[in-house]
Amino acid sequence: MIKTPREVNEIIAALKAQGYEAFAVGGCVRDSLLGREPGDWDITTSARPEQLKGIFKRTIDTGILHGTVTVMKNHVGYEVTTYRIDGEYEDGRHPKSVEFTSSLKEDLRRRDFTINAMAYSQETGIIDEFGGMEDLRAGLIRCVGNPMDRFEEDALRILRAIRFSAQLGFSIEENTRGAIRAIAPNLEKVSKERIQAELTKLLLSGHPEKIQEVYELGISPYVSKWFHRVCREHMALSFRLPRKQYIRWGIFLKDTAEEDVVRILKDLRMDNDTIFGVRLLNQWIYREIPLDKPGIRRAMSQMEPEYFDDLLILKGHLGWQPAAEARALTEEIRRDGDCISLKMLAVSGRDLLEAGLAPGQAVGKGLAELLDYVLDHPEENKRETLLRRITSRQLTEGHGMI
Ligand code: ATP
Ligand code: MG
C-alpha cells in the first residue's frame, strides 16, 4: 500500500470516471515504496492530452507534443502524461518523436530503470512488469530491457544511473555497468547543462562519494574537456557535509588548481554564485587561520559571514582540530559587534574627505588602514579616535592632503 495525496487520488478518479486508465508512476512510486518523501507525483493515463484538458478545470500545456499536461490542484501542479512509446531522444529530455499507445506496459517499457518503471493506483495496487520490486529490495539500478539499446537511445541515462545509485545508496547491476562503459562516449552528445544538473544532484545526495563511479566507469573523458584534471587524491566527500551546492562542488574540487576549477565549472555552465563560492573554498580551505581574535577578525573581514562559518565547518570536517575553538571566537567577535568590515567602521569615506584627504586613492587607502588598525584594536573603532589617527598620520607623512 502506498499513501497517495488526496489530489492524486482525485485526478485518477476523474480520469477513471470518464473511462480512462490512470496511475501514479515512476519516481513517486519508487520513493513511496522506499519510505522516502516523493519530490513530485506524476500520473500516467490512457487519455490523450486534448481529452485530459476537457476533464480538468486548470491545466497547463507543459509538453503537450510529448503528451504531458500539468493539472493544477490547490496551487500544486501534477504532470499527467499519456501512455506513450518513445522514439530516439534528442536532448536527453524529450524524444524526437513519440507515439501514443493504449498499453500501460508499453509506457512502462520506455522508462529508464526497473525501479522507475512501476505504476500504482489504489484500485490495482502496484503494477510491476519489469521486476522493479525485486531490484528495489536488492538495491539495484537496472535498465528496463537491453541496457546497450537504452543508453544508446539516451546517453543522459548513464549519469541518471549513477545519480540514482548515489541518492538511493544502490549498486548498478553488472550488465547495466557494462553497457555504461561501452556507451560512455555518447555522453558527448548530451548538453553540458544536463550533465551538470545530474552531477550536482549526485554531489548533493546521501552518497556524494559515488562521483568516483564517473571515473571508474570510464565516463570522465566525456563529461567535459577539463574534467580529467580534477585531483582526486584526497577525496573527502561525505554525507556529513552540508547540502549546499557550492560546498559539495567545493570539496570535490578542493585539491584541483584554481584555474582548472574555474574552467571545469564554466564548461559545465555552472551559475556564477556557485563558481564564486567554490573558488573561495579552493583558496581558503588549506589556508591557516590564526587562533586569536585579531587573526580571526582579519579572516572574517575577507568574506561574507555565511562563507566564513561554512569554512570553519569544512576545515573541521577535514580534521582541523581547533575548528570548535575558532567558532567560539567567531561567536564572541559577533556578539561584541567588533568591526570586521568597512561598513562597520566608525568613519566613512565622506568623513575622510571632510577631514581633508584627497578624493580617490588616498581615501580608499585611509579606510583600509583604519580597518586594519581596528581589526587588532576593536575598542578603538570610534569616530574621533580614527579621524585623529588618520589626520595626524597624513600630516606627518605629508602627502595625500589637499
Ligand atoms: P527525481 O524526480 O527524484 O529526480 P524521477 O524518477 O521522478 O526522480 P524524473 O526525471 O522526474 O525522475 O522522471 C520521472 C520518470 O520518468 C522516471 O521515474 C522515469 O520513469 C521516466 N524518465 C525520466 N527521464 C527518463 C529518461 N531519460 N529515459 C527514460 N525514462 C525517463
Ligand atoms: Mg520526478
Side-chain angles (χ1 to χ4, degrees):
M1 255 301 267
I2 285 182
K3 202 173 157 348
T4 40
R6 185 164 51 85
E7 290 80 0
V8 172
N9 295 336
E10 284 170 9
I11 293 171
I12 292 176
L15 286 160
K16 284 200 173 144
Q18 299 298 313
Y20 301 110
E21 295 175 6
F23 301 87
V25 71
C28 59
V29 176
R30 175 200 69 217
D31 288 342
S32 299
L33 289 168
L34 288 170
R36 298 163 66 97
E37 181 78 22
D40 40 31
W41 289 83
D42 295 328
I43 290 158
T44 188
T45 179
S46 59
R48 301 293 160 101
E50 57 284 5
Q51 295 167 329
L52 275 168
K53 288 173 67 175
I55 296 175
F56 299 102
K57 259 207 296 279
R58 270 183 293 278
T59 62
I60 302 166
D61 290 358
T62 314
I64 199 147
L65 290 177
H66 301 97
T68 302
V69 169
T70 298
V71 174
M72 296 304 298
K73 286 234 169 219
N74 300 329
H75 309 288
V76 178
Y78 298 85
E79 287 198 355
V80 184
T81 304
T82 305
Y83 292 167
R84 63 177 213 219
I85 299 170
D86 293 349
E88 201 181 318
Y89 273 69
E90 208 154 25
D91 56 358
R93 269 176 80 76
H94 304 298
K96 268 186 203 150
S97 60
V98 305
E99 201 186 304
F100 295 139
T101 167
S102 56
S103 155
L104 171 65
K105 185 166 181 181
E106 288 309 309
D107 180 81
L108 296 176
R109 193 193 300 282
R110 74 167 169 95
R111 295 173 184 272
D112 47 6
F113 307 112
T114 58
I115 57 167
N116 288 347
M118 289 183 279
Y120 174 84
S121 73
Q122 280 180 324
E123 215 172 286
T124 59
I126 302 283
I127 311 273
D128 175 21
E129 300 275 359
F130 301 100
M133 281 299 263
E134 199 181 322
D135 286 337
L136 214 53
R137 266 187 227 110
L140 284 177
I141 310 289
R142 181 201 309 268
C143 285
V144 175
N146 178 339
M148 293 288 278
D149 297 344
R150 304 315 310 281
F151 291 127
E152 236 168 288
E153 285 165 7
D154 176 13
L156 183 70
R157 291 174 187 153
I158 291 174
L159 285 177
R160 282 174 62 88
I162 301 176
R163 186 255 289 189
F164 284 123
S165 96
Q167 287 179 327
L168 307 173
F170 281 22
S171 317
I172 302 173
E173 177 274 332
E174 274 314 308
N175 285 326
T176 300
R177 279 183 92 79
I180 289 179
R181 280 182 207 282
I183 310 295
N186 281 12
L187 211 62
E188 274 177 331
K189 294 194 226 164
V190 176
S191 82
K192 294 286 181 268
E193 288 83 352
R194 299 291 301 161
I195 292 179
Q196 191 258 101
E198 289 300 325
L199 292 176
T200 296
K201 283 183 188 176
L202 192 168
L203 287 171
L204 285 171
S205 75
H207 292 275
E209 75 285 356
K210 291 235 184 195
I211 191 124
Q212 296 281 20
E213 291 270 58
V214 170
Y215 297 87
E216 278 154 30
L217 288 168
I219 299 159
S220 56
Y222 312 106
V223 166
S224 74
K225 190 167 156 199
W226 304 103
F227 205 69
H228 67 281
R229 295 232 196 169
V230 174
C231 171
R232 293 180 296 131
E233 228 169 284
H234 306 286
M235 274 294 154
L237 284 166
S238 137
F239 68 94
R240 287 196 191 83
L241 291 167
R243 287 190 198 236
K244 291 188 193 173
Q245 184 157 325
Y246 92 92
I247 288 183
R248 296 292 178 101
W249 274 101
I251 294 297
F252 174 52
L253 296 171
K254 72 183 173 22
D255 299 308
T256 302
E258 188 181 339
E259 58 185 33
D260 287 333
V261 168
V262 175
R263 275 186 192 134
I264 288 167
L265 294 176
K266 287 213 160 128
D267 220 15
L268 290 174
R269 316 282 187 269
M270 186 60 86
D271 64 275
N272 288 333
D273 284 355
T274 304
I275 296 182
F276 179 85
V278 172
R279 230 174 139 170
L280 198 73
L281 282 185
N282 192 269
Q283 293 163 348
W284 280 85
I285 197 82
Y286 294 122
R287 207 180 283 185
E288 202 175 322
I289 294 177
L291 263 190
D292 52 48
K293 281 194 178 180
I296 292 211
R297 281 189 214 105
R298 205 157 259 115
M300 289 171 82
S301 74
Q302 292 176 59
M303 65 192 89
E304 294 296 320
E306 182 194 337
Y307 288 123
F308 187 73
D309 291 343
D310 285 343
L311 179 69
L312 294 186
I313 293 174
L314 297 178
K315 284 177 83 73
H317 177 82
L318 296 183
W320 189 52
Q321 297 295 337
E325 196 180 326
R327 268 203 295 275
L329 290 174
T330 306
E331 282 310 306
E332 272 181 45
I333 290 166
R334 292 213 178 107
R335 191 196 56 211
D336 296 345
D338 292 356
C339 171
I340 51 164
S341 67
L342 286 178
K343 253 196 333 248
M344 295 172 82
L345 204 59
V347 295
S348 67
R350 176 175 292 269
D351 292 329
L352 296 197
L353 278 174
E354 280 168 9
L357 266 73
Q361 256 191 353
V363 169
K365 205 163 148 251
L367 288 172
E369 275 177 25
L370 290 178
L371 176 60
D372 194 58
Y373 175 68
V374 299
L375 286 173
D376 288 328
H377 308 281
E379 69 287 352
E380 302 279 88
N381 187 27
K382 295 186 200 100
R383 199 180 132 85
E384 290 312 315
T385 316
L386 296 184
L387 282 176
R388 206 176 317 119
R389 187 175 169 81
I390 201 82
T391 46
S392 66
R393 170 87 71 85
Q394 297 295 328
L395 280 173
T396 53
E397 285 179 8
H399 55 75
M401 300 291 283
I402 295 173

